[in-house]
Amino acid sequence: MAGNRTSIHGQWSSRWAFILAATGSAVGLGNIWRFPYLVGENGGGIFVMVYLVCVLLVGVPILMAEIMLGRRGRQSPINTMKALAADENRGQGWQIIGWTGMLTGFLILSFYSVIAGWTLAYVVRTASGVFVGTGAAQVATTFNELVSDPERLLAWHTIFMMMVIIVVSRGVKGGLEQAVRYLMPALFVLLLVMVGYAMSTEKFVEGMRYLFVPDVDLIRQKIENGQFFGDVFLNALGQAFFSLSLGMGAIMVYGAYLPGSSSIPGTSIVIAMADTGVALLAGIAIFPVVFTYGMEPSSGPGLIFVTLTVAFAQMPGGAFFGTLFFCLLLFAAWTSAISILEPAVAWLVEYKNMTRVKAGALAGFAAWLLGIGTVLSFSHWSFSFPFAGQVKTDGLFDVFDTLASNILLPLGGLLIAIFAAWVMSTKSSAEELGLSKTAYRAWQIAARFIAPAGVILIFLNAIGIV
Ligand code: PHE
């Protein structure tokens, strides 16, 4: 049984539609672009292991909490938190979850759109066949030429942001739902094709070992240097939030459109499994190619663009598969970007009575403007700074990404867990989640203690206190 509010923004047509939309939000550049390069920068298997622990113990309970709050409040995250706090006779302060979430969303969308722009550029490039038969060095040079050309990046960034605004303007059913139905499964199948190619490369076993076997010496070395928690754990935690779209209200606002009769726990598990599955498949497709062609796993944000392009350049039918792959990646990025903008759009519609079209254009424009910082990060405005034991080298892009993913998302998630499991009455949360007694208890322990303690400990460690 769910609460008794209704959403003014409409509702998903079924539980399945919600699963598709939420999976569309979760599966995106985070899985295919961000996950592999973080694995490469943080030592391979150790990172993957810590990441999986973060998803299970922190991600899944917060995913359930966020959908639950959304469905009970049935409004934009800001107004949902206001209404739910009032239900529990608490003050207006809890709105902060919605406000910081919106801010985080702008930060994320600003760079997300630029990277999605790279994907657009790669659709055109692979389709034109320029890469056929070329090798790793040349593919890397073409990548560097693209990212160091701000005009070109700005053009692709602009096109992508317009695509996002158009779909968001069309609303829950017309815009969001239609898009996800066929293209998500297609992406999955194409990733399997890429895994098939990776299996045929010389260094498949080495790639798998890198991904799944934690290197004990490296762990020891990182512990000795004080980097193990600070950077590996913090990056893994940030990635768990980023990849599951948690901590900023995206999943909360999608939950607001979920029919009352659908099971939240079952849905959450499907979403988390699909999301993790796609990330791991991307890793399996990429690392054997990295080793086979003598590339560096730690080469940063360009990793998949270079690696996969080399694979496409070498495999039979590469131009065709390459084009298809980048199209699907673009699509995955699109369905995620839409969900990043939705909390702000829903709020503008509720608060300012704007039409969705106007709200979408306004919020999209703000994120677009901020994106110029990322456009210039790989050329004129590149600078480095140290953060939690690592040196970040990509200017404002790294500032926005680190601030949003490693600080604001976990912080938002922490507050969401505290609100859902401590502030909200047990009766309301139990009613909304609809779990058996034991399962509810397990969720409550995870959301009350394990997830908050995990986030707090990792934070304290990153700033050098524990
Ligand atoms: N989860 C998306 C991805 O992995 C990104 C995202 C982050 C979407 C935060 C919504 C909110 O690409």
Side-chain angles (χ1 to χ4, degrees):
M1 247 300 286
N4 48 14
R5 293 189 178 88
T6 49
S7 159
I8 61 162
H9 308 284
Q11 212 177 74
W12 305 111
S13 49
S14 63
R15 164 169 180 260
W16 181 235
F18 170 77
I19 293 185
L20 280 173
T23 310
S25 164
V27 175
L29 294 171
N31 309 59
I32 296 171
W33 158 74
R34 200 170 187 273
F35 177 75
Y37 92 74
L38 287 185
V39 171
E41 284 181 342
N42 291 283
I46 326 175
F47 181 84
V48 176
M49 187 184 72
V50 176
Y51 173 73
L52 294 176
V53 172
C54 287
V55 167
L56 202 68
L57 296 184
V58 181
V60 174
I62 295 185
L63 180 60
M64 285 167 57
E66 204 173 321
I67 301 176
M68 178 209 26
L69 296 183
R71 188 168 73 181
R72 200 145 184 101
R74 293 244 182 256
Q75 298 158 69
S76 65
I78 293 175
N79 287 329
T80 283
M81 290 314 302
K82 203 161 144 186
L84 295 183
D87 286 353
E88 307 297 333
N89 295 319
R90 301 293 171 130
Q92 303 272 305
W94 287 102
Q95 276 182 64
I96 186 88
I97 294 178
W99 287 104
T100 45
M102 212 155 83
L103 168 77
T104 315
F106 281 117
L107 287 175
I108 295 181
L109 186 58
S110 78
F111 68 79
Y112 204 87
S113 168
V114 177
I115 312 295
W118 298 359
T119 313
L120 260 169
Y122 269 74
V123 169
V124 178
R125 288 174 171 205
T126 33
S128 74
V130 281
F131 293 119
V132 176
T134 57
Q138 197 182 333
V139 169
T141 312
T142 347
F143 175 76
N144 290 330
E145 276 168 15
L146 170 73
V147 296
S148 56
D149 182 344
E151 282 98 5
R152 255 195 290 172
L153 290 193
L154 185 67
W156 291 120
H157 165 51
T158 310
I159 297 175
F160 183 77
M161 196 63 90
M162 281 162 57
M163 290 165 52
V164 174
I165 294 173
I166 291 172
V167 178
V168 171
S169 312
R170 300 192 50 192
V172 172
K173 277 202 194 132
L176 309 183
E177 213 177 295
Q178 298 310 325
V180 227
R181 193 146 271 158
Y182 303 102
L183 294 151
M184 296 309 295
L187 177 70
F188 203 75
V189 172
L190 213 70
L191 262 179
L192 290 177
V193 173
M194 294 310 293
V195 168
Y197 175 76
M199 288 173 86
S200 76
T201 59
E202 240 169 75
K203 300 270 170 76
F204 180 67
V205 177
E206 193 176 320
M208 293 296 278
R209 199 177 301 130
Y210 180 78
L211 202 55
F212 292 112
V213 184
D215 177 341
V216 182
D217 289 337
L218 194 65
I219 300 184
R220 195 171 308 131
Q221 191 191 326
K222 291 216 181 234
I223 291 178
E224 277 163 15
N225 298 340
Q227 284 179 327
F228 188 50
F229 287 96
D231 72 30
V232 175
F233 263 80
L234 186 62
N235 282 320
L237 180 76
Q239 174 62 13
F241 277 96
F242 189 93
S243 192
L244 291 169
S245 308
L246 293 179
M248 57 142 290
I251 286 292
M252 196 187 291
V253 81
Y254 274 18
Y257 313 144
L258 177 66
S261 54
S262 313
S263 146
I264 292 177
T267 337
S268 304
I269 294 189
V270 176
I271 299 166
M273 283 192 350
D275 188 63
T276 309
V278 171
L280 293 177
L281 281 179
I284 300 173
I286 285 163
F287 285 103
V289 179
V290 170
F291 294 121
T292 303
Y293 291 97
M295 295 182 249
E296 270 304 315
S298 61
S299 56
L303 185 67
I304 65 140
F305 290 92
V306 176
T307 319
L308 291 182
T309 307
V310 170
F312 293 127
Q314 301 294 326
M315 67 202 252
F320 171 75
F321 284 119
T323 314
L324 195 59
F325 180 82
F326 284 113
C327 276
L328 292 171
L329 181 58
L330 173 69
F331 186 77
W334 199 6
T335 55
S336 299
I338 290 162
S339 74
I340 309 178
L341 200 57
E342 181 65 20
V345 170
W347 180 75
L348 285 170
V349 170
E350 287 162 12
Y351 180 67
K352 293 270 178 209
N353 227 341
M354 272 185 199
T355 58
R356 281 190 73 90
V357 177
K358 216 164 161 192
L362 190 72
F365 178 72
W368 175 84
L369 212 57
L370 210 56
I372 297 176
T374 292
V375 163
L376 294 167
S377 293
F378 305 96
S379 50
H380 304 310
W381 288 1
S382 71
F383 55 83
S384 6
F385 63 99
F387 180 83
Q390 281 182 320
V391 179
K392 308 272 178 179
T393 54
D394 288 322
L396 278 179
F397 158 68
D398 265 339
V399 174
F400 290 173
D401 180 23
T402 308
L403 178 66
S405 316
N406 289 1
I407 301 174
L408 294 170
L409 292 182
L411 203 64
L414 175 67
L415 293 176
I416 287 170
I418 293 176
F419 186 89
W422 289 100
V423 177
M424 202 167 175
S425 71
T426 308
K427 184 174 161 289
S428 315
S429 57
E431 180 184 88
E432 202 67 43
L433 286 172
L435 286 163
S436 71
K437 237 190 168 96
T438 338
Y440 178 77
R441 199 74 198 120
W443 169 80
Q444 203 179 32
I445 291 172
R448 274 199 170 164
F449 305 104
I450 303 175
V455 174
I456 292 172
L457 277 178
I458 293 171
F459 271 178
L460 290 181
N461 190 275
I463 54 176
I465 295 183
V466 230

